[in-house]
Amino acid sequence: MLRYTNAGRVVGGPGERIHYAPMSIVWSETQQSRLGASWVAESSRRPRVRRFELILPESVDDCVRALAQRGPEAKLLAGGTDLLPQLKNGLLKPARVIDLSGVARLRAIEPADGQGLRIGSAVTARTLELDRAVRARYLSLAESGALVGSVQVRNLATLGGNLCNAAPSADMAPPLLALDAEAVITGPKGERRVPIATFFTGVRRTVLAQDELLVELLVPTPGPRSGGNYLRHTPRRELDIAVVGVASQLTLANGVCTKARIALAAVAPVPVRATAAEQALEGQPVTPERIARAADLAVEVARPISDQRGSAEFRRHLVRVLTRRTLTTALARASA
Ligand SMILES: Cc1cc2nc3c(=O)[nH]c(=O)nc-3n(C[C@H](O)[C@H](O)[C@H](O)COP(=O)(O)OP(=O)(O)OC[C@H]3O[C@@H](n4cnc5c(N)ncnc54)[C@H](O)[C@@H]3O)c2cc1C
């Protein structure tokens, strides 16, 4: 585990690999090259980011130890696309930043013992967009990854960062709800699994304790005749957040819908499942009329706000339209 301070002083304890490096080098090796250096303190001489200790763990256990040592004063850093602006704006002033980029397990996508796919929390949106295994069985997740920011942002932005930042508009959350994914969380008390549907507890709040990290997502394999889709509406095509996002997943057997999942983003403090709409589809053939009925029912779970991106009424309209469209595409994909 490597440790630095942004003053270049070494703060490592016995037995740790210690590197003497001024913060400018640390930044250029790690974060600076990721987001562009325009805001980094070097140029202005006056640090705008409060001094902190940067930890570069190489294993999940190292992360847990590094978190436990500093408690609430520590902050995890994945791609930094949410965190670094928060540091820059002074919204967060951690004494210790733990950079997850060197932990191989967090970047892995691998089969989960016949149960589906394990997707490491530090897998980027760009990887999800392009990965063959993800595209083959979990297309809605790949579609959500492809919608995040620009290519530059997607090369940094991670799945775990998107979930742990817990914005109501987080694009990668609804497909995971629709796919019945579980979050694998670890901390000093060991590992636990939480259905992603209960992972979010409020705006920017999750079930994670301050000394825990999200290790990976466990996504079950959808049935053989299953299809999904994620769509969102934004006023601008790129570099904007969802006004509404909808993920749908349908599984069929003998022409009948055996499982329906519909999950909505940006219409409530947390991503929500439209369970009444799902039940209206299950156990019967999926027809355009039933899709329209499900879309109407999905609107009923939406509790949107009005803001500069759209009124609550507009958001309810979008839920209806996007639910109908994603169900129609999911049906076509499941039937193909
Ligand atoms: C220009 C721009 C465009 C964007 N567009 C979109 C968009 O279209 N859709 C969208 O959903 N988002 C968008 N975002 C937001 C952001 O890119 C995503 O939320 C991204 O996925 C965050 O991932 P990250 O790796 O950068 O997280 P970070 O910024 O590194 O971390 C975010 C938060 O999660 C915590 N965290 C990270 N990893 C873990 C972990 N493993 N365990 C516990 N806590 C962890 C961090 O401590 C921090 O609090 C955009 C951001 C920018 C700057």
Side-chain angles (χ1 to χ4, degrees):
M1 178 151 62
L2 306 183
R3 310 176 79 189
Y4 304 93
T5 71
N6 41 350
R9 280 180 292 119
V10 172
V11 290
E16 286 177 332
R17 282 169 62 197
I18 292 174
H19 281 228
Y20 286 87
M23 196 57 196
S24 55
I25 294 175
V26 176
W27 277 115
S28 61
E29 284 178 350
T30 57
Q31 306 310 325
Q32 197 166 334
S33 59
R34 299 190 196 177
L35 274 190
S38 59
W39 59 269
V40 176
E42 302 297 322
S43 54
S44 67
R45 285 201 199 156
R46 211 159 52 90
R48 278 181 274 172
V49 178
R50 200 184 82 162
R51 239 172 224 203
F52 58 77
E53 180 190 16
L54 181 67
I55 307 288
L56 301 167
E58 290 165 2
S59 70
V60 170
D61 286 348
D62 281 352
C63 294
V64 172
R65 268 194 295 278
L67 268 177
Q69 283 162 3
R70 291 305 281 260
E73 289 187 288
K75 202 70 195 153
L76 295 167
L77 170 74
T81 58
D82 280 317
L83 185 71
L84 294 188
Q86 290 165 9
L87 296 183
K88 177 193 170 187
N89 295 334
L91 294 174
L92 292 174
K93 297 181 177 174
R96 168 177 281 188
V97 171
I98 303 161
D99 183 339
L100 302 176
S101 61
V103 184
R105 180 177 169 193
L106 303 183
R107 295 196 313 273
I109 298 181
E110 55 193 19
D113 306 330
Q115 297 170 36
L117 211 58
R118 287 181 188 279
I119 306 179
S121 64
V123 166
T124 64
R126 184 70 172 156
T127 300
L128 290 177
E129 177 186 355
L130 300 175
D131 186 88
R132 280 189 189 187
V134 176
R135 293 191 70 82
R137 305 305 294 269
Y138 313 91
L139 190 50
S140 59
L141 185 57
E143 287 172 329
S144 72
L147 286 170
V148 171
S150 59
V151 173
Q152 291 91 330
V153 172
R154 292 199 285 283
N155 277 327
L156 298 171
T158 64
L159 178 60
N162 195 241
L163 301 175
C164 297
N165 187 59
S169 58
D171 278 310
M172 294 187 269
L176 290 174
L177 262 75
L179 287 160
D180 289 331
E182 281 187 323
V184 180
I185 294 169
T186 197
K189 294 181 192 149
E191 203 166 273
R192 62 186 177 116
R193 287 188 190 182
V194 174
I196 198 70
T198 57
F199 180 78
F200 304 96
T201 55
V203 177
R204 302 203 180 276
R205 292 209 320 267
T206 69
V207 295
L208 284 171
Q210 272 167 343
D211 54 3
E212 289 183 313
L213 80 144
L214 175 62
V215 177
E216 59 202 5
L217 283 304
L218 202 51
V219 197
T221 313
R225 294 186 73 75
S226 187
N229 182 221
Y230 177 71
L231 290 176
R232 72 171 190 188
H233 176 80
T234 56
R236 298 182 301 172
R237 195 163 170 271
E238 277 198 345
L239 294 179
D240 205 349
I241 58 172
V243 177
V244 170
V246 179
S248 292
Q249 187 78 30
L250 291 176
T251 305
L252 308 175
N254 303 319
V256 168
C257 172
T258 53
K259 187 170 168 184
R261 291 287 181 270
I262 301 164
L264 317 176
V267 294
V270 298
V272 285
R273 266 186 47 202
T275 46
E278 294 168 0
Q279 285 159 14
L281 293 166
E282 286 174 350
Q284 43 203 341
V286 182
T287 61
E289 294 72 28
R290 292 198 176 107
I291 286 178
R293 170 79 184 130
D296 288 344
L297 289 168
V299 176
E300 289 178 15
V301 294
R303 298 282 176 272
I305 56 165
S306 295
D307 64 11
Q308 72 274 22
R309 287 192 172 78
S311 66
E313 198 42 49
F314 180 49
R315 284 189 156 98
R316 277 190 280 269
H317 169 71
L318 286 173
V319 169
R320 183 176 287 108
V321 171
L322 296 181
T323 302
R324 189 166 36 76
R325 287 184 188 168
T326 54
L327 283 172
T328 304
T329 302
L331 176 64
R333 288 175 176 172
S335 311

